[in-house]
Amino acid sequence: MATLPPSTSQQIADAAGLDERYVREWLGGLSAAGIVRYDPARVTFEFPRSHAAVLTRAAGPDNLAQLMQYIPMLGGVEDRVLESLQHGGGLDYAEYPRFQATMAEESATVNDAVLVDGILPLVPGLPDRLTAGIDVLDVGCGSGHAINLMAKAFPASRFVGYDFSAEGIANARAEAAEWGLTNTRFEAVDVAGVDEPGHFDLVTAFDAVHDQAHPARVLANIRSALREDGVFLMVDIKASSNVEDNAALPWGSYLYAISMFHCMSVSLGLDGDGLGTVWGTQLAERMLGDAGFTDVAIVDVPADPFNAYFVARP
């Protein structure tokens, strides 16, 4: 619809190769929500360019519709969450079959746009060090796209990705092979058990720490894994640790829903701390300090309004 003039439901259905009756009902809902504009005189529907700018894949990191893919997925575990509300406990990561792919798509839109040229330069001198060649670990690497992007851009550096999802690691290895990368290694491990003191010059964690069963232990392991002149780049949800502050956050209620139906529940399912999505920048900064990071800066990236970027040094 973003490329069509005002059109009838039949014209829209024909253009998309869909059934007209279902398209007509769907358009009625979008019209009632104000997402598309309906002209009753001409019986046409229009998708305004200003709406398309934040509701299509062409919007890149600004695509709000992409986030809504989580809602039907999380609806699939509603009964399990209701059980946990009554009896406590949590859920298993395997109960979210589409989560890995959806998360990979969401993070890729940001990383493809700004990782190499916008995010890594947040650390002064880091691109030059990566060009010369350093050792890098990505904790909770998921499908490994961030690692592969960095490995492609900085062939002299060596990159390792850890994640406990076998599916994610398989996808990471496949992409690295497709790109012909020889400076990457991916392992399916629980990052809470990583014990590699002084092995890395840079450790990254892209939207992963809040999901950990024991984030304090993970942060301590990251601190131990860094060399003394190393740096930790942590990307995590931009929210407050205080409920009252999140009332003014446009996506605050969405974050709490994601937390209750996935992040918190999966952590509790692993007998973890259950911090959830909305652990907040205040708690994150305090936990970084407890892990041994004495120099912590929090930076915003305009292309990624949902996350805060922590640059932490021992």
Side-chain angles (χ1 to χ4, degrees):
M1 287 187 70
T3 62
L4 293 176
S7 305
T8 65
S9 59
Q10 186 65 63
Q11 290 170 328
I12 294 168
D14 290 344
L18 301 173
D19 181 85
E20 185 277 335
R21 182 64 189 92
Y22 279 88
V23 169
R24 193 190 336 152
E25 202 73 1
W26 173 75
L27 286 167
L30 293 184
S31 299
I35 295 173
V36 304
R37 293 174 182 162
Y38 177 58
D39 183 340
R42 298 181 179 178
V43 197
T44 58
F45 300 87
E46 178 187 8
F47 188 34
R49 290 185 179 180
S50 58
H51 297 190
V54 293
L55 293 173
T56 68
R57 283 183 170 83
D62 296 326
N63 180 10
L64 296 180
Q66 182 173 257
L67 296 176
M68 296 304 105
Q69 294 180 94
Y70 289 105
I71 301 304
M73 181 198 323
L74 301 184
V77 297
E78 180 181 3
D79 288 343
R80 293 281 288 111
V81 172
L82 289 175
E83 291 176 13
S84 297
L85 272 168
Q86 292 180 304
H87 308 295
L91 281 71
D92 189 276
Y93 191 81
E95 296 183 73
Y96 304 83
R98 289 178 47 234
F99 188 84
Q100 185 67 237
T102 305
M103 188 70 186
E105 180 184 2
E106 178 193 342
S107 60
T109 59
V110 174
N111 289 329
D112 285 342
V114 295
L115 175 59
V116 173
D117 296 325
I119 294 175
L120 296 178
L122 294 175
V123 183
L126 180 57
D128 289 339
R129 295 185 67 189
L130 286 163
T131 299
I134 59 174
D135 294 298
V136 181
L137 168 65
D138 186 26
V139 170
C141 68
S143 294
H145 189 59
I147 279 284
N148 288 330
L149 285 173
M150 291 188 288
K152 183 178 180 181
F154 303 102
S157 287
R158 299 156 296 279
F159 298 87
V160 179
Y162 289 157
D163 198 284
F164 76 168
S165 168
E167 176 190 357
I169 293 301
N171 292 336
R173 290 171 176 167
E175 183 178 68
E178 180 183 349
W179 291 7
L181 301 176
T182 58
N183 56 337
T184 63
R185 175 168 61 88
F186 296 98
E187 301 292 340
V189 298
D190 181 353
V191 295
V194 171
D195 183 20
E196 301 184 56
H199 273 56
F200 298 98
D201 304 287
L202 170 67
V203 177
T204 58
F206 298 102
D207 200 16
V209 174
H210 73 262
D211 276 332
Q212 303 303 314
H214 304 288
R217 187 185 307 166
V218 171
L219 291 174
N221 289 347
I222 289 171
R223 166 62 187 91
S224 174
L226 278 172
R227 295 176 176 136
E228 286 308 308
D229 62 345
V231 62
F232 175 38
L233 176 59
M234 182 178 80
V235 183
D236 224 294
I237 297 296
K238 185 195 298 182
S240 174
S241 302
N242 306 313
V243 173
E244 63 271 22
D245 296 335
N246 291 325
L249 193 64
W251 49 84
S253 60
Y254 171 81
L255 293 179
Y256 281 110
I258 295 292
S259 182
M260 186 167 182
F261 278 75
H262 181 268
C263 305
M264 180 194 76
S265 299
V266 169
S267 176
L268 292 174
L270 295 168
D271 294 323
D273 301 335
L275 288 187
T277 304
V278 196
W279 66 320
T281 55
Q282 297 94 329
L283 179 57
E285 191 171 15
R286 184 163 72 247
M287 291 180 69
L288 285 167
D290 291 343
F293 293 97
T294 57
D295 180 2
V296 179
I298 305 176
V299 187
D300 289 335
V301 172
D304 187 7
F306 295 99
N307 286 308
Y309 288 71
F310 299 79
V311 178
R313 301 178 185 276

